[in-house]
Amino acid sequence: MSARPDPEALVAGALDRVAAADGTEELRMLEAELAGKRSPLAAAKAALAGLEAGERRAAGMALNDARRRLEEAMESRRRELESSERQARLATERLDLTEAVPARRRGHLHLVTQARDRLEDTFIGMGYTVAEGPEAETDWYNFEALNFPAGHPARAMYDTFYLEWGPPESTLLRTHTSPVQVRVMERSEPPIYVVVPGRCYRVDTPDASHLPVFHQIEGLVVDRGITFGALAGTLDAFTEAYFGPGFRSRLRPSYFPFTEPSAEFDITCVFCKGEGCRTCARTGWLELGGCGMVHPNVFRAVGYDPEVWSGFAFGFGIDRLVMMRHGIDDIRELITNDVRFLRQF
Ligand code: FA5
């Protein structure tokens, strides 16, 4: 008859060695030594066969318990070691690219992004929030819900890039930021005071004042008792807040299917401060964008009662605004990425 193995004695030293292992490779070798086929634990298990039946059961349970504790200790140490080895590897593989560039040439935000940020800040200061919407849009949001039914002649104002997605001409690259008006109204209840900056697309041949990809910022206000006077006052307040004291805005009648009445809005010419110069065709004013009172059909499309709610909207080109502010005479300068141009701003 064999002597009964002492599992406590077997694992006590083993647990210390596992805790002291200082690498996954060392731990792997320890695992084989302490719990593998030729380990003292395996020998003790084999020795159980020589015990008397009554004793064998108790000794077997004690041995299993010892093995379980050892395996748990090995597993937890393995996780610790793997984690610290991963950290060490990441630290050695880390590439700090910023160190390769001298601080004075680290670059800066593009002029259009700077303008977009400033515009957002100006409107946030006036109590507006900022929303965004998708650039790939459906015909419904870009046209239909904005009161341009299929075949409406005003669709010709927007030369549209259509996407090959779904039924013909059902999906497109948005031609303006106005579809986000509809999205905002669909997902929220009035009162709404929101601006929406974003990229727009039109099949426009690039020239000094047109790009096929450009930026607009849209404004939408919906509340009770909003008047055309509130629209005019808001645009005037914005013009002064953005361009500075002495800059004013004016409205001229225009047409958009989604606003009625509609207007173009002009601001004091930034070059001659209203005196009249070549850039403003001696009028003292520069055109910035379109605006108007939200059309009742747009309210109906989003389920708002036009008898209860009224509102105004406006939209203008950020790239054109940048040209005005910085006296840039060709909009294409903004996308040619000539560093001699970009570094000036
Ligand atoms: C619109 O896009 C209307 N959604 C604006 C609007 C919003 C009216 C809300 C009423 C209520 P329009 O097509 O005029 O309107 O474009 C507005 C501005 O976008 C223009 O004044 C111009 O600043 C800019 N823009 C238009 N096309 C281009 C282009 N190809 N390149 C650069 N800027 C452009």
Side-chain angles (χ1 to χ4, degrees), residues 146 148 157-158 175-179 181 200-205 207 209-219 255-256 258-259 262-264 287-293 312-321 323-324 331:
L146 288 169
F148 295 80
M157 287 158 61
Y158 305 92
T175 57
H176 50 174
T177 40
S178 301
Q181 285 184 30
C200 306
Y201 303 80
R202 290 186 198 174
V203 189
D204 281 343
T205 308
D207 64 21
S209 55
H210 292 86
L211 290 173
V213 183
F214 58 98
H215 302 80
Q216 286 187 344
I217 185 161
E218 187 88 8
Y255 173 76
F256 297 98
F258 41 96
T259 46
S262 303
E264 298 283 347
E287 182 187 316
L288 197 56
C291 61
M293 302 304 290
F312 62 73
F314 56 85
F316 54 84
I318 301 181
D319 319 72
R320 296 259 183 97
L321 181 95
M323 292 173 74
M324 290 178 194
I331 198 170

Side-chain angles (χ1 to χ4, degrees), residues 92-291:
T92 57
E93 287 173 358
R94 182 166 168 265
L95 274 184
D96 186 352
L97 296 174
T98 57
E99 279 172 8
V101 185
R104 73 193 149 74
R105 285 203 276 124
R106 250 180 219 168
H108 57 75
L109 294 178
H110 189 275
L111 205 44
V112 171
T113 313
Q114 291 179 33
R116 176 187 160 145
D117 288 352
R118 259 198 69 165
L119 287 164
E120 286 182 12
D121 288 348
T122 307
F123 280 108
I124 288 169
M126 293 167 68
Y128 286 65
T129 55
V130 178
E132 288 194 334
E135 292 173 21
E137 260 301 1
T138 59
D139 181 85
W140 164 259
Y141 286 106
N142 197 82
F143 290 127
E144 193 91 25
L146 288 169
N147 200 31
F148 295 80
H152 192 289
R155 286 185 178 224
M157 287 158 61
Y158 305 92
D159 230 336
T160 310
F161 284 110
Y162 286 98
L163 300 173
E164 287 182 7
W165 184 267
E169 302 201 346
S170 60
T171 320
L172 45 86
L173 293 177
R174 68 178 178 198
T175 57
H176 50 174
T177 40
S178 301
V180 191
Q181 285 184 30
V182 180
R183 289 184 175 275
V184 168
M185 286 192 274
E186 266 183 354
R187 65 176 181 241
S188 36
E189 292 295 319
I192 291 171
Y193 291 79
V194 73
V195 284
V196 183
R199 206 177 280 137
C200 306
Y201 303 80
R202 290 186 198 174
V203 189
D204 281 343
T205 308
D207 64 21
S209 55
H210 292 86
L211 290 173
V213 183
F214 58 98
H215 302 80
Q216 286 187 344
I217 185 161
E218 187 88 8
L220 174 70
V221 166
V222 183
D223 209 334
R224 289 176 206 272
I226 297 291
T227 62
F228 199 84
L231 166 60
T234 301
L235 292 175
D236 217 35
F238 158 75
T239 306
E240 187 156 5
Y242 188 81
F243 288 94
F247 282 86
R248 309 305 308 264
S249 66
R250 71 168 186 183
L251 301 177
R252 284 177 295 114
S254 185
Y255 173 76
F256 297 98
F258 41 96
T259 46
E260 180 57 36
S262 303
E264 298 283 347
F265 76 94
D266 300 339
I267 58 157
T268 311
C269 175
V270 293
F271 300 103
C272 63
K273 308 278 186 304
E275 296 287 308
C277 65
R278 216 158 46 96
T279 314
C280 62
R282 317 242 166 258
T283 62
W285 297 96
L286 288 174
E287 182 187 316
L288 197 56
C291 61

